[in-house]
Amino acid sequence: MGIDDKINNATEDATGKLKEGAGRATDNEQLEAEGRADQSTAKLKQAGEKIKDAFKG
């Protein structure tokens, strides 16, 4: 995985945090859940990248 993938995953995580916060602020449960899902997806991708990096080195 390249640096581009790592940046994209970090961006997805940050976007998820923003969505979750906006959902809480506006009492929008769907937006809040969407934000948590985005964060989970990003974290899974990051974990996969770490595993791949470990096998490379």
Side-chain angles (χ1 to χ4, degrees), residues 4 7 13 54:
D4 292 338
I7 291 170
D13 186 44

Side-chain angles (χ1 to χ4, degrees), residues 1-3 5-6 48-57:
M1 293 285 147
I3 190 79
D5 292 327
K6 291 179 182 181
E49 287 179 21
K50 287 180 182 179
I51 291 170
K52 287 180 182 180
D53 288 345
F55 283 106
K56 284 183 183 178

Side-chain angles (χ1 to χ4, degrees), residues 12-55:
E12 186 174 0
D13 186 44
T15 302
K17 288 178 183 179
L18 288 172
K19 279 184 182 179
E20 183 180 7
R24 282 188 188 153
T26 60
D27 201 27
N28 183 337
E29 292 178 8
Q30 183 178 358
L31 186 60
E32 189 176 343
E34 208 175 292
R36 283 194 301 269
D38 287 350
Q39 290 176 65
S40 295
T41 302
K43 287 178 183 173
L44 284 172
K45 288 179 184 178
Q46 289 171 351
E49 287 179 21
K50 287 180 182 179
I51 291 170
K52 287 180 182 180
D53 288 345
F55 283 106

